[in-house]
Amino acid sequence: MNLDLNKIKELIPHRHPFLFVDSCKIIESGKRGISKRKFLPSEYFFEGHFPTNPIVPGVIIVEAMAQTAGIVVSHSFENVKDKSVLFMSVNKAKFRKPIKPNDIIEFEVNFLNKVKSVYKFEGIARNNDIIVSQSEFSAMITFGNILK
């Protein structure tokens, strides 16, 4: 199932300028998905990271992977109102190649395990089928809007 930006906004609370996913393909609800993002030259972080050689910060790459996992998990609870996915940890992050302005990146996430309400995923970021980053991370899903 392919999700556009409007559907993504129904599943996670992130908004511009901190939404780093343009589209997402749910391969297996709650388990696996692939999102895409084109990093435009006008992105706010390129101005300072780095002005003469702009690259996407590593924390943004990991955040995009985590947002993808949040979409995949939230999709499995699509009919539940007032849910939140909260980033908890990041491990084994590796940054292999820089991501530059106009690069289109695929963020693939795969479910590893779940303990109570905490989901653990692995993520891989690719630019033209070349791995540029990978990480493991966990997030907790909560019901009832704790963000208010």
Side-chain angles (χ1 to χ4, degrees):
M1 166 177 285
N2 292 313
L3 308 177
D4 64 13
L5 195 54
N6 290 326
K7 186 63 178 174
I8 289 167
K9 288 179 178 179
E10 291 176 17
L11 297 173
I12 62 173
H14 303 78
R15 298 295 182 266
H16 178 79
F18 213 76
L19 178 59
F20 300 114
V21 173
D22 295 331
S23 63
C24 186
K25 180 179 182 180
I26 304 291
I27 297 169
E28 184 179 355
S29 188
K31 304 279 185 182
R32 188 165 178 243
I34 299 174
S35 69
K36 287 188 179 180
R37 169 67 182 231
K38 180 175 183 177
F39 288 97
L40 301 173
S42 60
E43 304 283 355
Y44 70 91
F45 45 79
F46 284 140
E47 183 178 335
H49 197 266
F50 299 98
T52 59
N53 186 25
I55 62 171
V56 177
V59 295
I60 302 290
I61 299 165
V62 173
E63 176 66 23
M65 286 187 254
Q67 287 179 13
T68 304
I71 294 163
V72 169
V73 171
S74 289
H75 186 265
S76 67
F77 294 102
E78 188 172 19
N79 296 322
V80 177
K81 298 286 184 205
D82 287 334
K83 64 184 171 298
S84 298
V85 180
L86 303 172
F87 200 14
M88 293 181 65
S89 71
V90 60
N91 294 298
K92 301 180 184 177
K94 295 178 182 159
F95 305 98
R96 301 186 182 284
K97 298 206 179 280
I99 298 173
K100 309 287 274 170
N102 290 314
D103 283 349
I104 299 171
I105 306 302
E106 284 191 346
F107 300 98
E108 180 177 350
V109 297
N110 293 290
F111 173 82
L112 294 174
N113 64 35
K114 175 183 174 241
V115 177
K116 296 185 180 182
S117 62
V118 177
Y119 291 75
K120 186 174 182 181
F121 277 81
E122 66 179 351
I124 298 172
R126 291 183 181 90
N127 185 0
N128 293 319
D129 294 324
I130 296 169
I131 295 175
V132 295
S133 182
Q134 57 198 107
S135 180
E136 288 183 1
F137 45 88
S138 64
M140 176 176 46
I141 189 160
T142 62
F143 300 97
N145 195 340
I146 67 166
L147 298 179
K148 285 186 177 178

